[in-house]
Amino acid sequence: MGKNIEEIKTLKGFMPRAIKYARDMNEDFAEGLAGFYKAIWADREGGLSLKNKHILVFTVACSNNNTESAVKILSRLKKFEATKAEIMDAMMMAAWTGGIQNFTDFSAVVLKEMERLGFE
């Protein structure tokens, strides 16, 4: 397994499906995709924190009505000590950008998972 792939497994804590599928196709393609992940999730001085990056992707997932992804990201937000208020702000921004119907669709599932994860 290539260097980028190993680093992504360490950084993310799991092997992203996209990299696994890419590796099934071609090792070089998987390495390139892993390098893309590395660039996005790198902790750069003066850049967004990993918590803020996860808040952003959570907001986008909610905005796109991708509740499965939003629920998975909540676990990461818990790990990075995001507050309930930060998550609620992100959900409101998702309602602003994705529309009230998307908000109605994702909010029940997300709020239930937040309760399960112990966000207070």
Side-chain angles (χ1 to χ4, degrees), residues 49-109:
S49 68
L50 286 175
K51 178 175 93 170
N52 285 332
K53 288 178 181 185
H54 282 89
I55 289 171
L56 283 172
V57 295
F58 173 77
T59 305
V60 170
C62 290
S63 180
N64 289 332
N65 204 18
N66 186 347
T67 49
E68 182 181 339
S69 183
V71 165
K72 284 187 349 189
I73 297 164
L74 279 175
S75 295
R76 296 255 178 259
L77 289 171
K78 185 74 173 173
K79 174 185 168 189
F80 288 107
E81 299 178 355
T83 66
K84 184 175 182 178
E86 288 172 320
I87 294 169
M88 297 296 182
D89 279 351
M91 290 173 69
M92 287 187 280
M93 294 307 299
W96 179 263
T97 59
I100 292 302
Q101 186 56 55
N102 279 0
F103 174 75
T104 302
D105 292 344
F106 75 74
S107 62
V109 176

Side-chain angles (χ1 to χ4, degrees), residues 10 20 24 35 38 48 75 86 94 103 120:
T10 301
K20 182 204 176 305
D24 290 346
K38 241 172 65 174
L48 293 171
S75 295
E86 288 172 320
F103 174 75
E120 296 180 22

